[in-house]
Amino acid sequence: MKKWLLYFFAVIIILTATPFVSSKLVGRKETEVEVNINGKTVLMNLDEYVARVLLGEGQACESAESKKALAVAVRSCCMNLLSFGGRHTDFDFCDRFDCCFALGDIENCNEETLEKTISAVNETKGIFLTYKNMPALSLFTLCSGSSGAFFELAEELTPIKEDHVCEIHKTEKTIHYENILKDRENAVLVYDENNDCSFAVWDGKYIKGTELKEKLSLPSTEFTLEFRDDGIFATAYGLGNGFGMSLCHAETMAKNGKTFEEILEFYYPNFVACAPNQKQVFD
Ligand SMILES: [Zn+2]
Ligand SMILES: [Zn+2]
């Protein structure tokens, strides 16, 4: 028998002994999910699915604590989608990252990574985040630009201001004036107290910071612009919109000694962590 199978049997025994909090999950085999892989639907334990997502999406999380934070976030997202309904009717999740989550290959992956992943899943057994007593949609991205978050995504997800900018996912480019602006004198950027460009006056029109991001084709809402002779020199940090957990920064936090609880509290201040017995784990 494969080693990881043993781990999952242990998890199944523990998880099935304690029912999940969500009443909408009652009536189905609580810890099993239907996953469509390569067009075929397979039934698997929720934590096996969480481990596969960690392998597929969590490459940035090398440390034990960042992996654990991601395990909890993925578990919560899955339980949220199971409770409120995901994108599919015939099964729960598919294997496409642009639809559900990217899945790693549990049979053919690096053994050390697999062990670390399984430990992260097992050490956070049953822990998930809740919002208004329901599993929370704890979104995450590889590297969300931390500031300049003008998106309105969901009331419970607060834009998070990280204390550093990501130098790994940094984009620098010059955008020539003639491509974007009729008159250079007609561009005014307005920064708020957090030093985020909250809006701009662009060719005489008022636009939001998010629209400016699109106009300049920047990968993140966290950016600085410098008006130079040959064009606008843009520096963008991250690849996201400032919402949810940034795996890149979660890894930095873990390397700086933060625990998975501290990482989750930082990124999801409105969520409450619960264990299967509905006991509050930390707040
Ligand atoms: Zn899908
Ligand atoms: Zn990054």
Side-chain angles (χ1 to χ4, degrees):
M1 185 186 282
K2 290 216 157 55
K3 200 161 53 169
W4 63 265
L5 262 178
L6 283 175
Y7 282 107
F8 285 119
F9 282 147
V11 173
I12 289 166
I13 290 162
I14 290 159
L15 282 184
T16 47
T18 43
F20 283 119
V21 60
S22 167
S23 58
K24 290 197 182 172
L25 291 174
V26 174
R28 59 187 295 150
K29 282 196 158 184
E30 287 121 330
T31 57
E32 286 188 329
V33 288
E34 287 179 336
V35 188
N36 192 271
I37 300 174
N38 291 328
K40 222 181 115 209
T41 300
V42 291
L43 195 65
M44 67 174 79
N45 174 266
L46 173 64
D47 269 3
E48 181 188 335
Y49 178 67
V50 171
R52 284 177 190 255
V53 176
L54 252 64
L55 288 173
E57 306 241 4
Q59 289 93 340
C61 299
E62 290 171 8
S63 305
E65 294 304 307
S66 60
K67 267 200 198 308
K68 278 153 72 176
L70 181 58
V72 174
V74 172
R75 189 180 291 117
S76 315
C77 270
C78 291
M79 292 174 63
N80 174 284
L81 294 170
L82 291 172
S83 304
F84 295 103
R87 290 171 176 241
H88 304 287
T89 45
D90 296 346
F91 44 85
D92 298 316
F93 306 107
C94 77
D95 54 357
R96 281 175 35 212
F97 79 96
D98 58 341
C99 175
C100 294
F101 298 105
L103 297 183
D105 185 353
I106 215 158
E107 316 261 354
N108 301 302
C109 69
N110 173 291
E111 199 165 318
E112 195 196 332
T113 310
L114 180 60
E115 255 174 51
K116 280 185 180 176
T117 300
I118 290 170
S119 298
V121 174
N122 283 346
E123 284 165 29
T124 59
K125 242 186 296 279
I127 301 175
F128 62 101
L129 302 170
T130 62
Y131 179 70
K132 293 184 175 166
N133 296 319
M134 288 300 287
L137 190 63
S138 40
L139 298 177
F140 54 89
T141 52
L142 173 61
C143 183
S144 54
S146 71
S147 62
F150 336 93
F151 278 76
E152 280 176 29
L153 204 65
E155 57 163 13
E156 67 270 29
L157 279 172
T158 314
I160 301 300
K161 181 90 181 156
E162 290 166 353
D163 54 8
H164 84 310
V165 291
C166 177
E167 290 294 330
I168 305 167
H169 301 105
K170 178 170 150 180
T171 311
E172 288 179 323
K173 67 174 184 178
T174 299
I175 306 140
H176 299 289
Y177 292 115
E178 59 270 25
N179 295 337
I180 41 161
L181 262 180
K182 282 198 209 87
D183 183 356
R184 190 187 149 175
E185 301 305 312
N186 270 347
V188 181
L189 305 179
V190 179
Y191 288 84
D192 63 18
E193 68 274 13
N194 290 325
N195 230 11
D196 299 332
C197 177
S198 49
F199 72 91
V201 177
W202 208 257
D203 271 337
K205 272 194 220 124
Y206 166 90
I207 58 169
K208 282 199 254 177
T210 40
E211 293 172 81
L212 188 59
K213 167 191 177 269
E214 298 303 321
K215 224 179 225 319
L216 304 178
S217 306
L218 299 174
S220 146
T221 48
E222 182 176 16
F223 58 82
T224 60
L225 302 177
E226 203 184 305
F227 288 76
R228 291 184 179 174
D229 288 341
D230 58 339
I232 297 171
F233 183 73
T235 310
Y237 299 96
L239 307 162
N241 53 23
F243 276 101
M245 181 162 62
S246 167
L247 303 186
C248 193
H249 187 61
E251 176 62 15
T252 307
M253 290 178 79
K255 284 205 174 104
N256 289 337
K258 299 281 186 227
T259 63
F260 79 97
E261 291 98 331
E262 286 169 322
I263 296 170
L264 292 169
E265 278 168 18
F266 176 74
Y267 278 108
Y268 306 113
N270 301 330
F271 296 164
V272 175
C274 284
N277 57 5
Q278 221 175 329
K279 185 180 95 220
Q280 197 166 306
V281 180
F282 52 90
D283 57 21

